[in-house]
Amino acid sequence: GVFASLVRDLSEVTSRDAYLDSLRKDFEEAIRDLRIDCSDARIRSCIQKQVVLLEALGQSYPGVAEHTLGAICGQVGTWPHDKVQEAIKDLYKFTNSYPGIRHAGTPATALRTIDMRDLVAVSILLAGFTPYLSNAINADHVYRGL
């Protein structure tokens, strides 16, 4: 499907750069660790590793000088509408404020313990924004599964 094709393209794109490749491998390792235990700590780690990978992709986008995903989103200039840009920024804010994903956060903001449905939903949503953060991803090829 489209998601598998996107993951394949992302793997190909990151394999061309040692730093990006290492971050992709960190994310993949975190995903594999879930086979051992699907604890909330491992789920938080997976989401954190994915955001770091997206930040690194965005940092390599032409004209980007920022280093955090939220600021990078303001510089890539690839958005079809400001609400799409706001959506990824809101996901990024979630990863910063939910306790233990990217920062200590505020425990009171967590409505419940994070679980696998959150990993699936957030990971798919974050992956879906990849074509906006990398001009090396060919969206037409991803969609067609080429």
Side-chain angles (χ1 to χ4, degrees), residues 46-145:
C46 287
I47 294 170
Q48 184 270 336
K49 299 289 187 198
Q50 186 176 14
V51 171
V52 168
L53 176 57
L54 289 177
E55 283 177 331
L57 278 170
Q59 288 171 3
S60 64
Y61 198 90
V64 169
E66 295 293 338
H67 301 287
T68 65
L69 187 57
I72 289 166
C73 288
Q75 287 193 328
V76 292
T78 56
W79 310 107
H81 192 277
D82 63 344
K83 295 301 180 188
V84 176
Q85 180 183 357
E86 285 178 31
I88 190 171
K89 283 184 171 185
D90 283 345
L91 275 172
Y92 178 65
K93 288 174 188 174
F94 157 72
T95 68
N96 285 327
S97 66
Y98 190 92
I101 294 180
R102 297 210 10 116
H103 303 291
T106 306
T109 64
L111 302 177
R112 62 171 170 74
T113 302
I114 200 164
D115 61 29
M116 285 300 289
R117 72 184 142 188
D118 304 309
L119 175 67
V120 170
V122 172
S123 287
I124 289 172
L125 290 169
L126 287 172
F129 288 105
T130 305
Y132 296 113
L133 300 170
S134 172
N135 60 357
I137 301 285
N138 184 322
D140 189 53
H141 287 169
V142 168
Y143 183 76
R144 297 182 195 288

Side-chain angles (χ1 to χ4, degrees), residues 17-64:
D17 178 280
Y19 179 61
L20 291 175
D21 194 49
S22 72
L23 294 177
R24 179 187 48 83
K25 288 176 180 173
D26 287 350
F27 174 54
E28 289 174 353
E29 183 178 311
I31 294 287
R32 280 191 304 274
D33 285 348
L34 289 171
R35 292 183 184 144
I36 299 166
D37 175 22
C38 294
S39 68
D40 63 324
R42 288 183 193 267
I43 293 167
R44 290 190 317 264
S45 178
C46 287
I47 294 170
Q48 184 270 336
K49 299 289 187 198
Q50 186 176 14
V51 171
V52 168
L53 176 57
L54 289 177
E55 283 177 331
L57 278 170
Q59 288 171 3
S60 64
Y61 198 90
V64 169

